[in-house]
Amino acid sequence: MSQIENVSRRGFLKNIGIGSGALVLGVQFSSMLSMPKVIAQGLAAEAIGVTSFAPSVYLTINSDNTVAIVVHRSEMGQGIRTSIPMIVADELEADWQQIQVVQGLGDKKYGSQNTDGSRSIRHFYQPLREAGATARMMLEQAAAKIWQVPVSECSAVKGQVMHAKSNRAIAFGDLVAIAASLAVPDKATLVLKSKQDFRFIGKSNVRSVDGKDIATGNTTFGYDVDLPNMRYAVIARPPVLAGKVKHFNSDKAKKISGVIDVIQLDDLVEPAVFKPLGGIAVIATNTWAAMKGRDALVIEWQNSEHADYNSKAYKLALANSCDNPTATLRKKGDVSTALKNANKIINANYYVPQLIHAPMEPPAATAHFHDGIFDIWACTQTPQSAQNNVAQATGLAPEKVNINVTLLGGGFGRKSKPDFVVEAAILSQKLNVPVKVLWTREDEIKNGYYHAVSYQKLSAGIDKNNKVTAWQHIEAAPTISATFSKGADTLGFEASLGMIDMPYDIANVHCGAGKAAAHTRIGWLRSVTNINQAFAVCSFADELAIATNTDSKDYLLSLIGEDRHIDVSKEQAEYGNYGETLDKFPVDTSRLKNVLNSVAKMANWHKSSKGKLPNGNGVGIAVHRSFVSYVASVVEVSTNAQGKVKLERIYMCVDCGTAVNPERITSQMEGAAIFGISLAFYGETTAQGGVIEQGNFDDYPIARMHEVPPIDVQVLASDAPPGGVGEPGVPPVAPAICNAIFAATGKRYRELPLNQYGIV
């Protein structure tokens, strides 16, 4: 997109010919940018006399036979701009060639637009099906009126309504005027399609709606937005969290060609929440001038108490905190007594360092303050949160803030924090011109939101029959709550993400947490603390198998035990279950065992684990439930004479309930494996004097193409409600890698990243 034109809502409706003769219910188009170019051009060409009807906020059917489907979630590579239309189009019985995708603006009428937590399909599968079914039934009613036949004799098929008895058909577009006059049917009367009648849901016959444009560069990401008279801004932010500007000199910066202004932003007052960090903004006519101007600034910072944050000392403090837990998170039986009576006690400590999101596209937002309103374009995962935070920071009402969502070049949770959007809005309001704020890679790694470092101590008691009789898991890690409430220092909801929902059938269980103060902005990252806790739990399970001289897969099955539904709330645990009810999404051990057995079969586990691999090779296995989905992974590694480790193959099996878009699910599992490889081998940010020491991919590497092995994915068929997809693939990867390395070398690695050991 070479140019973006601001168009008022009234002007837009006038231009496309939607006026008093049409019924449009609850669909908002605020500018041409809110619709892909193909839509805007297509509708403009048929401007005069177009009528439409929209029985849902997600769906509009036009008399030119196009079907506009609103995607109210953010596209960051997970394929949601394809999957949402698949659901609606299937229930509508639309022809896929009719479908036009409209990116929804930030608006509470759509329900939650917060595209994280692997919730897009999980939360909107049913409402989207109902939207399609509503429109289908109204079109069938319209056709029945025209033909004067019972509506039961009319059926929508591939973009038209058929009357089989008379061999007649009417295209959707020819029915919209009558359909628009009908009452929207009550939800209780809707008849949804049977699974066997699906044409898109569960199929891999639909190409990504954005794939070709992404491949050819014909798309708009946050970094790509370009407005007339736009200014570019980069910001020098405090190197230590909650630091302040003590003094600065901008004389040299202002002498750089292209630099227009230098503006001091308000200092951050904790809690950090989604507020800007403060600092000095350099505004210029181009990005390079803004960056060079920032380099020329002379700033003296006044550091906060977080300047005492040093990673090595902090790690020791976390370990000590585990020895003095202050919170009990789950309690079943009597662990102390069971450990005393155990035939054998196994202890292991695990450490996962502080991580950062590092999406390929760092945060970027463009704001244009004019006529008392904001038009904003941003690569945001949370347009509603961006809208509300901009309103709060600038004094405007939320309805005066229009958030246009661009494509996201990766997100992983970082872009659900709208601080960068607020920065752009503040600067545009001050300057009264469009301003694009760009975060560089260094900005993101040194000043972003971090995934919490954690130290975990696990102990297990084993009886004479090699059965685990006691399980104790103590963890110390800074909590995400500290970002929202200064001083919060103990794990809360994070314990539900792989710790207290440990699914093993053990009579005596104790989970606890020690205190850990936060010294950076802590935020959720892809799969959140499942990363840390699955690494410990899945690695420890493998250690117990080795200690009892039992096959790792078989021992896992014995640990999981009989088929059952687990409710840890009966064991003094506050379990969130990812915001879902246990009735609808139980913790189901039969599904956990099924993915475990399935991935073992994929990998030919028993042959691979019984000495059938070449010398120096090994396989590891791990299984984990997160975001109400179940994923198991087997990793094969090889080693050479120099002790270097190479990944040979990764197998992944996922049960995510009803699979809407299997092709994208497979891609998400592959992406999760690569993400898991990166954090296992390389992921670590460290601090010295409160300052993050890493800054780019040279010192915060991610896996390169030659380091990624073939990845085989199996998506299991299921009639269960849709579960999460984007995040559940990550947690079992790192422990499966470490378990495989142990199988190949006999060396157990309990601390990440693995590159510190010189094996990669």
Side-chain angles (χ1 to χ4, degrees):
M1 183 175 294
S2 59
Q3 183 175 350
I4 294 171
E5 179 182 357
N6 290 318
V7 182
S8 69
R9 182 177 184 276
R10 183 184 299 275
F12 177 72
L13 295 178
K14 180 179 178 181
N15 288 339
I16 66 171
I18 298 179
S20 59
L23 175 63
V24 181
L25 302 178
V27 176
Q28 176 180 342
F29 304 111
S30 76
S31 71
M32 282 289 185
L33 185 62
S34 70
M35 306 179 73
K37 286 180 289 185
V38 65
I39 307 171
Q41 293 165 358
L43 291 177
E46 301 292 333
I48 305 301
V50 173
T51 58
S52 307
F53 91 103
S56 163
V57 294
Y58 307 115
L59 172 65
T60 302
I61 301 174
N62 303 301
S63 61
D64 64 359
N65 222 33
T66 57
V67 178
I69 296 176
V70 174
V71 174
H72 62 300
R73 312 288 278 188
S74 301
E75 176 63 65
M76 47 192 163
Q78 82 280 35
I80 201 62
R81 279 169 50 89
T82 303
S83 298
I84 282 179
M86 286 172 65
I87 298 169
V88 178
D90 210 330
E91 282 293 348
L92 176 61
E93 263 299 324
D95 185 322
W96 188 254
Q97 300 307 312
Q98 296 174 268
I99 303 302
Q100 308 290 359
V101 177
V102 178
Q103 184 65 49
L105 293 148
D107 196 316
K108 61 184 179 181
K109 72 185 179 186
Y110 295 123
S112 172
Q113 293 179 270
N114 188 4
T115 313
D116 60 15
S118 297
R119 292 175 289 193
S120 292
I121 300 300
R122 175 156 48 107
H123 282 188
F124 288 95
Y125 179 68
Q126 189 69 13
L128 292 169
R129 291 188 68 189
E130 291 169 355
T134 297
R136 167 171 47 82
M137 292 175 65
M138 294 176 72
L139 291 167
E140 291 169 346
Q141 291 170 21
K145 277 197 167 192
I146 292 174
W147 291 324
Q148 294 296 297
V149 299
V151 70
S152 60
E153 295 180 2
C154 302
S155 58
V157 180
K158 295 184 179 180
Q160 54 186 353
V161 177
M162 309 286 294
H163 184 242
K165 286 186 177 181
S166 61
N167 198 30
R168 288 178 288 182
I170 303 180
F172 283 179
D174 294 329
L175 293 168
V176 299
I178 294 176
S181 70
L182 301 175
V184 176
D186 186 89
K187 187 184 299 185
T189 67
L190 297 179
V191 179
L192 301 180
K193 292 173 68 172
S194 300
K195 183 177 180 179
Q196 62 266 25
D197 296 326
F198 287 159
R199 292 195 299 117
F200 305 129
I201 297 172
K203 314 295 183 184
S204 294
N205 57 359
V206 176
R207 291 185 177 181
S208 166
V209 299
D210 297 305
K212 181 179 179 180
D213 285 342
I214 290 173
T216 56
N218 191 30
T219 51
T220 301
F221 290 84
Y223 255 70
D224 297 329
V225 175
D226 188 17
L227 299 179
N229 198 37
M230 188 174 75
R231 301 294 183 254
Y232 300 79
V234 295
I235 300 171
R237 300 175 183 85
V240 176
L241 177 64
K244 304 178 187 302
V245 177
K246 187 175 182 180
H247 173 77
F248 79 99
N249 188 306
S250 61
D251 292 347
K252 292 181 180 179
K254 290 179 177 178
K255 292 179 181 179
I256 292 176
S257 177
V259 171
I260 296 170
D261 206 346
V262 176
I263 296 175
Q264 181 174 354
L265 299 174
D266 291 341
D267 296 326
L268 169 68
V269 178
E270 293 187 274
V273 197
F274 297 143
K275 296 178 288 189
L277 291 169
I280 308 296
V282 177
I283 297 90
T285 56
N286 60 79
T287 306
W288 182 248
M291 294 171 66
K292 296 301 290 182
R294 181 173 66 173
D295 291 342
L297 290 172
V298 178
I299 306 174
E300 182 181 356
W301 300 102
Q302 178 181 324
N303 289 330
S304 69
E305 71 271 20
H306 299 300
D308 293 334
Y309 177 39
N310 296 299
S311 294
K312 290 183 179 180
Y314 192 76
K315 177 182 176 182
L316 293 175
L318 292 179
N320 291 333
S321 183
C322 286
D323 294 330
N324 298 283
T326 57
T328 295
L329 304 174
R330 178 182 174 187
K331 188 177 188 298
K332 175 185 179 184
D334 186 344
V335 164
S336 297
T337 300
L339 286 173
K340 290 177 182 177
N341 295 333
N343 184 59
K344 183 188 299 183
I345 297 177
I346 308 297
N347 298 305
N349 302 335
Y350 300 91
Y351 177 74
V352 177
Q354 182 175 266
L355 306 171
I356 190 72
H357 305 81
M360 286 293 103
E361 178 199 33
T366 301
H368 185 193
F369 181 66
H370 64 96
D371 304 317
I373 68 169
F374 273 109
D375 284 323
I376 295 176
W377 295 263
C379 50
T380 175
Q381 293 176 243
T382 55
Q384 292 169 354
S385 179
Q387 181 184 50
N388 291 330
N389 278 272
V390 167
Q392 183 177 4
T394 61
L396 269 68
E399 55 268 23
K400 298 290 187 180
V401 180
N402 299 316
I403 302 292
N404 297 276
V405 182
T406 68
L407 294 180
L408 283 64
F412 312 128
R414 167 57 182 103
K415 293 172 184 173
S416 62
K417 294 89 172 174
D419 56 321
F420 62 101
V421 186
V422 176
E423 290 174 334
I426 290 172
L427 291 173
S428 180
Q429 189 179 45
K430 286 180 180 294
L431 298 170
N432 205 33
V433 295
V435 175
K436 177 159 65 174
V437 167
L438 300 166
W439 284 56
T440 65
R441 174 75 53 214
E442 288 79 7
D443 292 338
E444 169 58 15
I445 292 180
K446 289 185 174 294
N447 291 107
Y449 287 80
Y450 299 88
H451 183 267
V453 53
S454 76
Y455 204 96
Q456 300 172 79
K457 293 189 175 183
L458 280 76
S459 300
I462 302 175
D463 66 15
K464 294 180 180 179
N465 298 316
N466 287 333
K467 181 178 177 61
V468 177
T469 58
W471 177 281
Q472 180 165 276
H473 187 167
I474 308 298
E475 180 173 6
T479 175
I480 293 171
S481 298
T483 299
F484 300 88
S485 177
K486 181 174 172 57
D489 60 5
T490 307
L491 287 180
F493 79 93
E494 298 100 331
S496 289
L497 312 181
M499 183 192 197
I500 62 173
D501 53 341
M502 178 277 297
Y504 305 148
D505 188 9
I506 299 172
N508 303 283
V509 177
H510 174 249
C511 299
K515 290 184 179 296
H519 297 295
T520 60
R521 296 191 294 180
I522 307 298
W524 42 94
L525 174 145
R526 187 178 188 177
S527 83
V528 204
T529 45
N530 284 290
I531 291 172
N532 311 43
Q533 290 158 178
F535 175 62
V537 170
C538 296
S539 296
F540 196 50
D542 195 67
E543 296 206 47
L544 297 179
I546 302 303
T548 57
N549 196 29
T550 310
D551 175 83
S552 296
K553 191 268 289 188
D554 293 342
Y555 199 75
L556 268 175
L557 289 172
S558 69
L559 278 173
I560 296 169
E562 299 296 323
D563 293 352
R564 67 197 187 283
H565 291 175
I566 300 172
D567 184 358
V568 296
S569 66
K570 298 176 181 178
E571 300 168 13
Q572 302 180 41
E574 294 183 8
Y575 183 54
N577 198 32
Y578 302 92
E580 306 292 352
T581 66
L582 287 171
D583 289 340
K584 186 176 181 180
F585 292 97
V587 181
D588 188 340
T589 61
S590 67
R591 295 175 70 182
L592 193 69
K593 291 191 294 183
N594 191 30
V595 293
L596 181 63
N597 284 320
S598 297
V599 80
K601 184 176 181 180
M602 289 173 63
N604 207 359
W605 171 264
H606 281 299
K607 286 188 178 180
S608 300
S609 63
K610 300 294 184 184
K612 302 297 183 180
L613 294 174
N615 288 337
N617 284 36
V619 288
I621 194 167
V623 63
H624 189 70
R625 175 189 185 268
S626 65
F627 302 92
V628 301
S629 291
Y630 304 77
V631 180
S633 181
V634 169
V635 175
E636 180 184 346
V637 304
S638 63
T639 57
N640 61 22
Q642 290 73 44
K644 300 294 184 182
V645 171
K646 178 185 177 183
L647 298 176
E648 295 291 342
R649 203 169 198 96
I650 295 179
Y651 302 88
M652 300 190 75
C653 182
V654 55
D655 174 0
C656 58
T658 298
V660 169
N661 191 342
E663 188 276 333
R664 284 289 92 193
I665 295 171
T666 297
S667 295
Q668 284 293 283
M669 291 301 115
E670 293 168 340
I674 297 169
F675 198 90
I677 292 168
S678 297
L679 68 87
F681 282 104
Y682 302 115
E684 181 178 31
T685 61
T686 57
Q688 183 67 31
V691 178
I692 301 301
E693 297 180 294
Q694 291 71 31
N696 211 313
F697 289 138
D698 58 336
D699 49 15
Y700 190 85
I702 61 172
R704 299 306 199 252
M705 292 179 68
H706 72 276
E707 297 173 302
V708 177
I711 302 168
D712 299 325
V713 178
Q714 181 181 7
V715 182
L716 295 184
S718 174
D719 291 325
V725 171
E727 298 171 273
V730 175
V733 174
I737 290 172
C738 290
N739 293 342
I741 293 173
F742 178 84
T745 67
K747 295 179 180 179
R748 178 68 64 180
Y749 296 106
R750 301 185 181 96
E751 297 188 4
L752 299 180
L754 296 172
N755 65 344
Q756 66 182 301
Y757 303 108
I759 62 175
V760 291

